[in-house]
Amino acid sequence: PKKNILNTTKLNKMAAIRTTAKATQRGSAGLGLPEALSSKTVGIIKNTAPVVAPRAVDITRNFYGRLFTKHPELFAFFNKSNQNAGRQPRALAQSIVAYATHIDNLGALVGPHSAVDIIAHKHCGLNVLPEQYPIVHSNLMDAIGEVLEGAVTPEIGTAWSESVLFLAKVLIDREEELYSEAENKSGGWRGFKPFKVVSIDDVASDKKQFTFSDASDASYAFDAGQFLSLKVDPNGDGLVAPRHYTITSTPNANQLQCTVKLVEGGVVSTYLHNEVKVGDELNLCPPFGCFTPRENDAPVVLLSSGIGITPMVNFYRHFGDRVGLIVHLDRDKASHAHKSFFNAASCPKQFIYTSEGRPAASTIAARMKDTLGDKWNSANVYMCGPVSFMADMTKEFGEAVKGRIYSEKFGPELDNEGV
């Protein structure tokens, strides 16, 4: 007979769904979550990770099916197109496997700019709260039990439950740190807050820049490369997930701006481009994101493709004379967002339009190296664009440069952008 790891009352109680999280909960204090992982748990997770890995996507598909059946309100945290394309289950599966594989060396997954930090920043941009973690835990454990069936003994189930709850604690506490930091910055706030649209400007043939302000007229502090999260309700059901857009306004200005590409079939981008007007109010989450400047004296290269150009706006403002080269790929001149801004940059620039012929990644890399000369040997590369583009460029740069590449993949729609 099938053995589900949460079939017993004992395991349900142990699993800290004894949690007392309320809507006002801040941080993990009082939730009964494990402060550390026992050596026994670490050993069991290491030993069972090879069994879980091949079935990880099956587990996460099962998990999301359960989650949305029992809690359809949680669709408000997930981009449905990512679900339909299978991206979200694959991403969660990869996270589970990485966590299990590094369970005895979590330093590889936590800390500034780490995998956990990236997840925490994205969660904060969605306004994920502590009381939602028990729901995730319960449904994930049920999914593990159903998919792996008799392979999961009560002992194994207890270890996996403890490890999931410990990760929940790590995330809850890191997210509270980020919420508090955002709230206490100049112009800061917590959660979603209404802002008025004060201008909408075309910055390319399919890209608009939206400018927001609120009644406080505050100056808004944030780091170059961080994003705003916009929550709109085009379907009238409150279940459309927020979208993250890089901030393109100047740090400490008294307005906030972001640039939105019109994506074919994109529910939110279509709504923003076609329906939102000056004077409308939209709900914004504070700036988050850890694709931000690394502070050293190295020369800087800004490399982007398509809508991946948006973080480069404030990276250029931040690094100034340290920027030795700007390289951008786009379909054509009309699609090139913020072109006039970068035309005014004082450093060498290489604008490549694929409608005129797409050079190989090796050719682009060779041109960059020739332009920078000796500076290439110490340059930091900030890169944003489609996954395939960034993978090709990283390969051409070689191992010597790999540790100096800082990158961010723009939303899943960029994977097939076709630039």
Side-chain angles (χ1 to χ4, degrees):
K2 295 181 180 179
K3 293 182 179 179
N4 189 301
I5 57 175
L6 288 185
N7 271 348
T8 68
T9 301
K10 178 181 177 182
L11 276 177
N12 271 316
K13 287 182 178 179
M14 189 288 308
I17 308 285
R18 53 187 147 127
T19 180
T20 57
K22 304 296 182 185
T24 55
Q25 179 77 34
R26 293 191 176 190
S28 66
L31 299 186
L33 300 176
E35 295 291 332
L37 292 176
S38 67
S39 58
K40 180 179 179 180
T41 290
V42 170
I44 291 173
I45 299 301
K46 287 289 289 185
N47 289 335
T48 56
V51 177
V52 172
R55 304 298 306 277
V57 174
D58 294 331
I59 290 169
T60 55
R61 285 176 180 154
N62 184 301
F63 161 72
Y64 282 117
R66 289 173 175 276
L67 188 70
F68 296 138
T69 298
K70 295 180 180 179
H71 301 277
E73 73 277 6
L74 294 184
F75 265 121
F77 292 91
F78 296 92
N79 186 323
K80 287 187 180 180
S81 66
N82 294 349
Q83 290 291 334
N84 295 337
R87 297 186 185 104
Q88 194 72 43
R90 287 196 300 270
L92 179 58
Q94 292 168 2
S95 298
I96 290 171
V97 172
Y99 178 55
T101 302
H102 294 89
I103 199 76
D104 57 347
N105 180 28
L106 291 179
L109 296 178
V110 299
H113 305 282
S114 67
V116 167
D117 212 31
I118 292 170
I119 292 170
H121 276 270
K122 291 293 178 72
H123 280 185
C124 288
L126 298 169
N127 201 36
V128 171
L129 301 173
E131 58 265 28
Q132 285 142 358
Y133 278 91
I135 298 171
V136 171
H137 169 269
S138 176
N139 285 277
L140 181 58
M141 298 311 297
D142 282 347
I144 291 173
E146 181 170 309
V147 171
L148 298 183
E149 301 181 343
V152 182
T153 65
E155 184 178 54
I156 291 173
T158 299
W160 275 90
S161 180
E162 181 186 334
S163 66
V164 171
L165 291 169
F166 176 70
L167 180 57
K169 173 183 169 52
V170 171
L171 285 167
I172 289 170
D173 288 340
R174 177 57 181 146
E175 286 157 21
E176 176 53 29
E177 289 178 358
L178 294 174
Y179 285 132
S180 295
E181 289 172 8
E183 189 174 24
N184 291 313
K185 284 182 178 178
S186 174
W189 71 99
R190 180 184 285 251
F192 283 99
K193 172 183 173 181
F195 278 73
K196 183 172 288 187
V197 179
V198 295
S199 68
I200 302 174
D201 301 293
D202 291 321
V203 293
S205 58
D206 57 351
K207 302 174 184 76
K208 293 181 182 291
Q209 180 169 263
F210 293 80
T211 303
F212 306 97
S213 184
D214 74 346
S216 70
D217 198 35
S219 59
Y220 300 101
F222 60 89
D223 295 327
Q226 290 195 307
F227 58 80
L228 286 173
S229 299
L230 276 61
K231 186 169 180 60
V232 295
D233 191 19
N235 298 332
D237 57 10
L239 298 181
V240 173
R243 299 295 195 267
H244 307 313
Y245 298 108
T246 301
I247 307 170
T248 46
S249 50
T250 304
N252 298 310
N254 62 0
Q255 295 178 327
L256 289 165
Q257 295 173 328
C258 65
T259 301
V260 179
K261 176 190 172 183
L262 178 62
V263 178
E264 185 176 357
V267 173
V268 173
S269 67
T270 299
Y271 179 79
L272 291 171
H273 272 248
N274 297 342
E275 303 297 331
V276 172
K277 303 292 187 293
V278 171
D280 289 350
E281 280 193 343
L282 299 184
N283 288 314
L284 273 60
C285 233
F288 292 107
C290 48
F291 181 46
T292 52
R294 312 298 175 97
E295 297 305 335
N296 53 48
D297 296 327
V300 169
V301 176
L302 304 180
L303 172 61
S304 58
S305 179
I307 195 61
I309 197 170
T310 53
M312 307 308 163
V313 171
N314 275 324
F315 282 153
Y316 181 73
R317 288 175 176 142
H318 176 86
F319 288 117
D321 292 342
R322 282 176 52 196
V323 179
L325 176 63
I326 297 170
V327 180
H328 179 66
L329 277 73
D330 227 310
R331 284 189 296 271
D332 48 45
K333 293 179 181 179
S335 299
H336 185 167
H338 301 287
K339 187 173 185 294
S340 59
F341 175 87
F342 287 105
N343 272 335
S346 58
C347 64
K349 300 171 284 288
Q350 297 174 8
F351 299 151
I352 301 166
Y353 302 116
T354 56
S355 61
E356 302 171 358
R358 187 186 189 98
S362 57
T363 301
I364 299 171
R367 290 175 184 168
M368 293 172 67
K369 294 173 185 177
D370 288 344
T371 301
L372 280 174
D374 291 341
K375 290 183 178 180
W376 178 253
N377 297 323
S378 60
N380 289 333
V381 180
Y382 289 81
M383 180 167 59
C384 188
V387 174
S388 58
F389 163 76
M390 295 196 295
D392 289 345
M393 294 308 304
T394 300
K395 180 180 177 181
E396 294 300 329
F397 292 154
E399 290 298 319
V401 183
K402 195 171 182 179
R404 294 184 274 114
I405 298 174
Y406 308 112
S407 63
E408 180 170 70
K409 178 177 82 70
F410 256 55
E413 71 275 5
L414 208 66
D415 292 354
N416 303 302
E417 190 178 14
V419 297

